[in-house]
Amino acid sequence: EVQLVQSGAEVKKPGESLKISCKGSGYTFSTYWISWVRQMPGKGLEWMGIIYPGDSDTKYSPSFEGQVTMSVDKSISTAYLQWSSLKASDTAMYYCARHGRDGITGHVVYMDVWGKGTTVTVSS
Amino acid sequence: DIQMTQSPSSLSASIGDRVTITCRASQDISNKLAWYQQRPGKVPNLLMYAASTLQSGVPSRFSGSGSGTDFTLTISSLQPEDVATYYCQKYNNNPWTFGQGTEVEIK
């Protein structure tokens, strides 16, 4: 079974650092792009960025560039999302999701597998 | 960047009603559009891709249409389990922008 297993809920203080994880299984992790998606309380889905585990090629949404860092360790099939200094406004649910590939062109397409999400709460 | 605009933001309909949600792209995205369903408190789930191709396991009462800039998601006969927020997403290129969502409730 293809799945993405995310790390558990986090409660942090403003200014603290954090790294959350997303471990893939049931497929060749290094050959499928992974996106991170933010959902603030009561709000919609926001695409944050995408990373290719094969070579760590990363593209950030302009809204999140410089605010977070995406990385992978393909040896353990795990993608990461990290903050160096959290703010209260980072309080949200964070999902990782795998992108499929177009069978003909090989282009990155929609998100076909989602992790269950990691809740991040930042509060003093 | 291409903007994705959904309408309405919310709707209330009766069981068995036909429900239509619209998604508009600010530029041509061909048919590179996906729809996701997010039930309350749950993980988003892929409903449809390539604007009109149903993901495996999704009930046939869901259908999609459109190309270019204008797209629709239709539920032919609304069921209680369809209470959810529905999001469109473009995937023709970076960024993979979502629409703001349409919340569907039962009247």
Side-chain angles (χ1 to χ4, degrees):
Chain A
E1 179 194 4
V2 175
Q3 57 180 344
L4 296 172
V5 178
Q6 296 190 235
S7 50
E10 301 276 359
V11 179
K12 293 288 191 179
K13 291 182 168 33
E16 292 185 332
S17 62
L18 176 64
K19 193 174 190 177
I20 63 174
S21 66
C22 168
K23 182 175 176 61
S25 62
Y27 72 101
T28 305
F29 182 77
S30 61
T31 62
Y32 287 80
W33 291 76
I34 294 281
S35 270
W36 288 94
V37 176
R38 183 176 78 174
Q39 188 166 39
M40 300 176 76
K43 302 298 184 183
L45 304 174
E46 299 175 89
W47 180 76
M48 300 175 70
I50 191 170
I51 187 164
Y52 186 66
D55 61 4
S56 295
D57 186 15
T58 307
K59 306 175 197 302
Y60 293 97
S61 162
S63 299
F64 292 93
E65 180 91 53
Q67 307 304 308
V68 296
T69 302
M70 298 177 190
S71 60
V72 293
D73 183 344
K74 62 182 179 181
S75 69
I76 56 171
S77 301
T78 301
Y80 301 98
L81 180 66
Q82 69 180 85
W83 295 258
S84 58
S85 180
L86 287 160
K87 301 184 283 285
S89 57
D90 293 318
T91 294
M93 177 73 85
Y94 293 88
Y95 295 102
C96 63
R98 186 188 82 161
H99 285 260
R101 283 199 304 265
D102 184 284
I104 298 173
T105 65
H107 289 165
V108 180
V109 292
Y110 43 86
M111 300 165 180
D112 60 354
V113 179
W114 291 67
K116 294 191 184 306
T118 295
T119 300
V120 173
T121 303
V122 183
S123 174
S124 54
Chain B
D1 290 347
I2 297 173
Q3 305 304 312
M4 305 300 293
T5 304
Q6 289 182 233
S7 60
S9 297
S10 65
L11 66 89
S12 183
S14 300
I15 299 297
D17 279 357
R18 183 180 184 88
V19 168
T20 298
I21 298 167
T22 296
C23 177
R24 175 163 289 173
S26 59
Q27 296 176 41
D28 190 339
I29 61 169
S30 184
N31 70 334
K32 307 304 183 190
L33 185 95
W35 289 97
Y36 301 89
Q37 176 193 62
Q38 187 178 33
R39 294 186 172 115
K42 301 298 186 182
V43 178
N45 181 52
L46 176 67
L47 276 185
M48 199 159 322
Y49 59 92
S52 60
T53 302
L54 217 55
Q55 174 71 340
S56 176
V58 173
S60 58
R61 62 180 179 275
F62 290 92
S63 64
S65 65
S67 185
T69 60
D70 294 311
F71 303 87
T72 59
L73 173 69
T74 299
I75 308 173
S76 60
S77 177
L78 188 67
Q79 299 302 305
E81 60 267 31
D82 300 334
V83 169
T85 301
Y86 294 84
Y87 296 92
C88 62
Q89 183 194 35
K90 62 176 276 299
Y91 59 86
N92 61 315
N93 56 21
N94 180 19
W96 282 263
T97 308
F98 290 98
Q100 81 276 20
T102 297
E103 187 175 7
V104 174
E105 299 177 334
I106 302 293
K107 195 182 294 182

